[in-house]
């Protein structure tokens, strides 16, 4: 008599108690895929900001600039060459290169436009100095040598900007990780809501299972497996799309002030591992959220 009350398995299927429902699952799949996509973008952006900061700080800490101002009665080009010679003789300096007027004009062109400066306008000349990694340059001694030569020169030690870059990178990384945590919470809430809705839509099956002696943990396990597969599939879609977008963004030209906030594709194993585990994490998050939500509702019902 009891078997007559049991719902019949879906025709043409494999007899699963919770068969996929394309009508209900498709919107949830899209929402979950979007959340995984945004989470991957946030994670890649946080890592990209860190890598960018490391690159910038390395450049800053291994370089300095000597600015040679033109003064009346002196040859600025000759002073720049002499400043490069003095810098190259300092211990720890790897290379010193004197830049001419054309280089100064090229630096000003993006700001003032081409051909907007008169030819007789005096421009400061630069000397690019590259130092060995880890070397501490005695800038005081170098400045004293420049002053002794009678040059109007000033040393700009780029290393003083390294801490500012690190702070900016830390802020960008914290924002990315915070966004990642918020998206994970949003995904868990969406899955929990969907699991409760799915449970409410299948109360006849649940009642029949209870009549057959099924425990709450068994029923919760059914929803757990179903939503794990849905989370896994949506995670694959979101991760693939995030990888494609990251590659396209990295191939394009981005302004320097946006570099911290765009996902940077470094083409190293970490990016591949990150995108590979994203679907698994999405599936686990969906499974845990669904199980907890269904178990809570079942305890309240019986």
């Amino acid at each position: 008599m009891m078997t007559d009350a049991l719902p019949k398995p879906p025709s043409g299927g494999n007899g699963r108690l919770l068969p996929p429902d394309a009508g209900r699952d498709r919107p949830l799949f899209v929402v979950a895929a979007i959340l995984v996509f945004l989470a991957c973008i946030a994670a890649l952006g946080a890592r990209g900001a860190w890598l960018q900061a490391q690159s910038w700080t390395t450049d800053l800490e291994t370089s300095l600039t000597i600015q040679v101002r033109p003064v009346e009665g002196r040859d600025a080009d000759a002073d720049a060459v002499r400043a490069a010679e003095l810098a190259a003789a300092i211990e720890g300096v790897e290379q010193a290169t004197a830049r001419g007027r054309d280089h100064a004009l090229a630096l000003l062109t993006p700001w003032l436009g081409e051909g907007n400066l008169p030819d007789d306008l005096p421009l400061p000349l630069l000397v690019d100095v590259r130092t060995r990694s880890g070397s501490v340059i005695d800038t005081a001694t170098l400045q004293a040598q420049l002053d002794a030569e009678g040059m109007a020169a000033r040393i700009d030690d780029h290393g003083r900007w390294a801490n500012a870059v690190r702070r900016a990178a830390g802020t960008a990384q914290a924002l990315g990780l915070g966004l990642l945590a918020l998206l994970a919470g949003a995904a868990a809430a969406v899955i929990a809501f969907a699991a409760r809705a799915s449970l409410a839509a299948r109360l006849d099956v649940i009642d029949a299972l209870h009549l057959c002696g099924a425990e709450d943990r068994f029923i919760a396990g059914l929803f757990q497996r179903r939503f794990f597969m849905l989370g896994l599939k949506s995670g694959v879609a979101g991760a693939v799309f995030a990888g494609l977008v990251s590659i396209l963004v990295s191939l394009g030209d981005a302004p320097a002030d946006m570099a911290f906030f765009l996902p940077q594709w470094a083409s190293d194993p970490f990016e591949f591992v990150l995108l590979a585990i994203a679907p698994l994490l999405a599936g686990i998050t969906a499974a845990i959220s669904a199980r907890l939500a269904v178990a809570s509702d079942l305890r309240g019902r019986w």
Side-chain angles (χ1 to χ4, degrees), residues 237-290:
V240 169
F241 192 47
L244 293 176
V245 169
S246 299
I247 293 174
L248 292 176
V249 169
S250 298
L251 292 177
D253 295 329
D257 56 355
M258 295 177 62
F260 283 134
F261 303 99
L262 292 177
Q264 299 293 316
W265 184 261
S267 298
D268 62 29
F270 183 87
E271 272 69 19
F272 294 103
V273 171
L274 177 64
L275 294 178
I277 66 174
L280 181 61
L281 293 177
I284 293 174
T285 300
I288 294 175
S289 301

